C-alpha cells in the first residue's frame, strides 16, 4: 500500500464514510484495535489526517460506528441462517444462529473482540445503549421455544436458559480464538455437539411443571 507521500493527496470532499469504515476494518483485521489510528487511515486513503474528522468527531466515534456496522452484519447473517433452515423447530433455528455467530466471529476476529470483549466495554455500551440487536434476535428465538412448548420449562426460567445458551456460544468462540479449542479425535463440530446436548437437556420435562 502506497503512503500518502508517494501519491497525490486526496481532497477532503472526495472521501466517503464507507471508504473510511472499510479501511478502518482492514487495519483492525491486520493490526487489532491498538493499531487503528486516524493517521494510518489517512495514509491508506491518501488524504490529510484531518479528513476523517469530517465524518467522525473522534477515534472513539469511529470505533462505535465499526461496532454498529458489525452488529448490522451479524444480525443479517443470523437472519439469513434461520431462513435457510427447513424447519420450524426452535432448536434447529438456535443451531443455525450458533453456526452463524461462530462463522461471523471466525471471519471477523478483531471486530468481534471490539464488539463483545469487556476490555472495550465502555465503547461497547456507548455504541449499544440497549441490548445488541443480535442478542435480542437470539432471545426471540429462545422465547419461541418456550411458547411452542419445545422447551418444556416454566416461563420464569427463560432468562436464565437464554443467558446460559448465549454464554456457551460466546465461550466456544473465545476458546477457538485463543487456540484452546481442541477437537477430540472422532468428536464432531463443537457447535453441533453443544446444540445436541442442549436439546437433550432442555427437551426433558421440567420436574415441577404441570
Amino acid at each position: 500500500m502506497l503512503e500518502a507521500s508517494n501519491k497525490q493527496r486526496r481532497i477532503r470532499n472526495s472521501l466517503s464514510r464507507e471508504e473510511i469504515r472499510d479501511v478502518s476494518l482492514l487495519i483492525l483485521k491486520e493490526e487489532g484495535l491498538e493499531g487503528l489510528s486516524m493517521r494510518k487511515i489517512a495514509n491508506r486513503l491518501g488524504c490529510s489526517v484531518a479528513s476523517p474528522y469530517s465524518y467522525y468527531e473522534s477515534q472513539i466515534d469511529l470505533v462505535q460506528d465499526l461496532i454498529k456496522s458489525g452488529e448490522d452484519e451479524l444480525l443479517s447473517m443470523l437472519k439469513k441462517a434461520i431462513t435457510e433452515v427447513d424447519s420450524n423447530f426452535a432448536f434447529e433455528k438456535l443451531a443455525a444462529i450458533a453456526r452463524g455467530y461462530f462463522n461471523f466471529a471466525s471471519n471477523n476476529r478483531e471486530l468481534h473482540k471490539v464488539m463483545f470483549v469487556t476490555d472495550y466495554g465502555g465503547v461497547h455500551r456507548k455504541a449499544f445503549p440497549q441490548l445488541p440487536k443480535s442478542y435480542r434476535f437470539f432471545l426471540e428465538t429462545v422465547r419461541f421455544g418456550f411458547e411452542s412448548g419445545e422447551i418444556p420449562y416454566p416461563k420464569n426460567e427463560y432468562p436464565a436458559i437464554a443467558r446460559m445458551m448465549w454464554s456457551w456460544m460466546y465461550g466456544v468462540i473465545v476458546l477457538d480464538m485463543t487456540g484452546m479449542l481442541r477437537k477430540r479425535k472422532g468428536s464432531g463440530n463443537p457447535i453441533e455437539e453443544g446444540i445436541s446436548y442442549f436439546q437433550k437437556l432442555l427437551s426433558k420435562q421440567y420436574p415441577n411443571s404441570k
Side-chain angles (χ1 to χ4, degrees):
M1 183 69 69
L2 293 174
E3 297 297 323
S5 59
N6 294 330
K7 59 183 179 180
Q8 185 176 0
R9 186 178 292 272
R10 294 177 59 177
I11 60 174
R12 181 177 302 186
N13 292 338
S14 70
L15 292 175
S16 69
R17 179 180 287 265
E18 289 72 23
E19 282 183 286
I20 297 172
R21 185 188 297 129
D22 289 345
V23 168
S24 300
L25 287 171
L26 182 61
I27 296 173
L28 184 66
K29 183 177 181 179
E30 294 174 350
E31 304 181 38
L33 186 63
E34 295 78 9
L36 183 64
S37 70
M38 292 299 199
R39 183 171 297 280
K40 285 185 179 180
I41 294 169
N43 285 340
R44 295 283 185 108
L45 291 173
C47 62
S48 70
V49 176
S51 293
Y53 286 102
S54 298
Y55 296 92
Y56 298 99
E57 294 182 359
S58 65
Q59 189 165 324
I60 292 295
D61 186 32
L62 168 61
V63 172
Q64 290 172 4
D65 189 44
L66 296 182
I67 290 173
K68 291 176 182 176
S69 176
E71 171 69 359
D72 289 341
E73 181 182 352
L74 174 57
L75 179 61
S76 177
M77 287 182 66
L78 299 186
K79 287 183 175 180
K80 183 175 184 294
I82 277 190
T83 62
E84 294 174 348
V85 174
D86 187 22
S87 170
N88 200 37
F89 288 109
F91 279 106
E92 292 295 330
K93 293 181 177 182
L94 289 169
I97 287 176
R99 294 185 202 106
Y101 184 28
F102 187 84
N103 290 336
F104 172 84
S106 298
N107 295 326
N108 302 276
R109 290 175 178 266
E110 293 303 322
L111 178 58
H112 182 271
K113 289 180 186 177
V114 177
M115 289 171 63
F116 292 106
V117 175
T118 54
D119 286 353
Y120 316 121
V123 175
H124 183 278
R125 283 191 296 274
K126 290 177 182 177
F128 297 139
Q130 298 177 339
L131 286 176
K133 294 177 183 178
S134 56
Y135 185 60
R136 279 185 279 170
F137 183 69
F138 162 78
L139 290 178
E140 290 170 5
T141 309
V142 176
R143 186 183 293 114
F144 171 76
F146 274 79
E147 293 174 349
S148 67
E150 192 175 345
I151 302 177
Y153 276 60
K155 289 185 178 180
N156 62 1
E157 299 287 341
Y158 155 71
I161 288 175
R163 286 194 298 268
M164 179 176 64
M165 293 190 74
W166 184 268
S167 299
W168 158 73
M169 286 192 295
Y170 179 78
V172 170
I173 288 169
V174 171
L175 289 174
D176 180 58
M177 286 184 170
T178 55
M180 296 177 66
L181 187 62
R182 295 286 187 268
K183 288 186 178 181
R184 294 178 288 107
K185 189 174 181 179
S187 66
N189 182 298
I191 293 295
E192 308 304 328
E193 283 183 335
I195 286 293
S196 177
Y197 280 121
F198 271 114
Q199 185 168 10
K200 290 174 184 176
L201 291 170
L202 297 178
S203 294
K204 295 179 180 179
Q205 192 71 24
Y206 190 76
N208 297 323
S209 63
K210 295 182 180 180

